[in-house]
Amino acid sequence: MTVHRRSLLVGGLATGLTGCTEPAMPTGVVPLAPGVTLGLPTPASLGRQIEASQLVQATYQGRDIVFEGALSITADRVLLVCMDMLGRQALMAKWTGADFETTIAPWFPTSLRPDNMLADIMLIYWPAEPLRRTLRGAVLDESTGSRSIRDGRKTLIQIEYDSPDSWNGTARYESVVWSYSLRVQSAEARVQTAEAIRGMLEDDEAGILNGLRGGLLKLRSLQALDERVTPWREGLERGIAEVEEVA
């Protein structure tokens, strides 16, 4: 694999696919369209830590490229690891807010540039204000379920969300000016873990959670005969509520 630690490469998905050229950009500055750039926001500007898995479908001129991504974000760095559908690591990209490091497999399409991939991810998931502070040559508009990058009345990039929680849903990204699109299905690790826990608890009629619910029904029946079971019933109700909230 080839390892790079340097200023960000020029262009992105559309630049590589269309053969367009752009003047060299400073570290952390990525072209989004002719005359429009985004300075990659700092990792801390996201305002939270994230561990998410993603399935990405990139489409350009009828060609589809599908890959899986693992995204890890802390206050100190953004780390993106992409794998093909066979599980082979295609690239690793790390952004600290000052330095950019990549490891790229020789077979990975050169049209998918790590710097622009991170820029696209940030346009989809970062809060609007950090993006607006580093966006040049255009403006970011945001409304319920969508956001766009516009140059006057012209839409350059359009993003649509199918869920209020963008980290746990599907986002559709379209670069109008460079004619490519992304479909990103994302799920936070905590949501995946919660679903696995719920599956284990409710696996069958003998599952732990269903057993607790059955016990609660019996305590409610006994309470009609003996009020001394009330604290037990209340404690079990609280326990079941906490398990259901976590799961």
Side-chain angles (χ1 to χ4, degrees):
M1 303 186 86
T2 305
V3 178
H4 306 269
R5 184 188 292 272
R6 47 135 175 59
S7 298
L8 294 180
L9 292 174
V10 177
L13 173 63
T15 306
L17 291 174
T18 60
C20 299
T21 59
E22 295 279 348
M25 295 287 171
T27 301
V29 178
V30 181
L32 302 179
V36 180
T37 62
L38 177 72
L40 296 179
T42 63
S45 65
L46 179 62
R48 58 177 297 195
Q49 295 190 12
I50 287 288
E51 302 286 338
S53 60
Q54 298 180 320
L55 181 64
V56 182
Q57 178 182 353
T59 302
Y60 177 74
Q61 291 186 346
R63 290 183 290 166
D64 289 337
I65 301 172
V66 180
F67 56 91
E68 296 178 341
L71 188 62
S72 175
I73 305 172
T74 67
D76 301 320
R77 55 103 178 102
V78 178
L79 178 63
L80 173 66
V81 177
C82 294
M83 295 155 286
D84 69 7
M85 302 312 292
L86 298 176
R88 299 178 299 171
Q89 181 172 316
L91 71 79
M92 181 280 294
K94 181 180 178 181
W95 168 244
T96 66
D99 296 319
F100 189 79
E101 178 182 351
T102 63
T103 304
I104 307 173
W107 47 264
F108 192 66
T110 57
S111 56
L112 292 172
R113 306 295 288 268
D115 53 349
N116 228 79
M117 290 173 67
L118 280 183
D120 291 343
I121 286 172
M122 290 176 165
L123 286 173
I124 293 171
Y125 297 109
W126 245 248
E129 286 311 310
L131 296 171
R132 289 184 175 121
R133 287 196 292 268
T134 60
L135 181 63
R136 299 291 182 269
V139 297
L140 186 154
D141 291 332
E142 189 172 42
S143 59
T144 302
S146 69
R147 61 173 45 171
S148 60
I149 305 297
R150 301 179 62 84
D151 177 8
R153 295 184 177 180
K154 183 179 180 181
T155 298
L156 306 176
I157 294 171
Q158 183 69 35
I159 304 169
E160 303 287 342
Y161 305 93
D162 74 348
S163 170
D165 180 3
S166 59
W167 288 104
N168 294 289
T170 300
R172 291 170 175 81
Y173 175 111
E174 182 182 5
S175 173
V176 178
V177 66
W178 278 339
S179 303
Y180 75 93
S181 64
L182 304 173
R183 184 177 185 270
V184 185
Q185 296 174 265
S186 180
E188 278 189 81
R190 65 173 179 82
V191 173
Q192 295 171 322
T193 301
E195 290 176 349
I197 291 172
R198 178 176 288 278
M200 288 187 292
L201 292 175
E202 298 185 318
D203 188 42
D204 52 42
E205 291 184 358
I208 297 172
L209 189 54
N210 284 321
L212 292 175
R213 289 168 176 158
L216 179 59
L217 291 175
K218 292 178 181 179
L219 285 176
R220 286 172 176 168
S221 298
L222 286 173
Q223 185 180 5
L225 302 174
D226 190 343
E227 288 292 332
R228 288 178 297 178
V229 304
T230 299
W232 298 353
R233 175 191 59 77
E234 292 175 345
L236 187 54
E237 285 178 340
R238 288 194 298 270
I240 291 174
E242 290 174 1
V243 169
E244 289 178 329
E245 182 179 354
V246 171

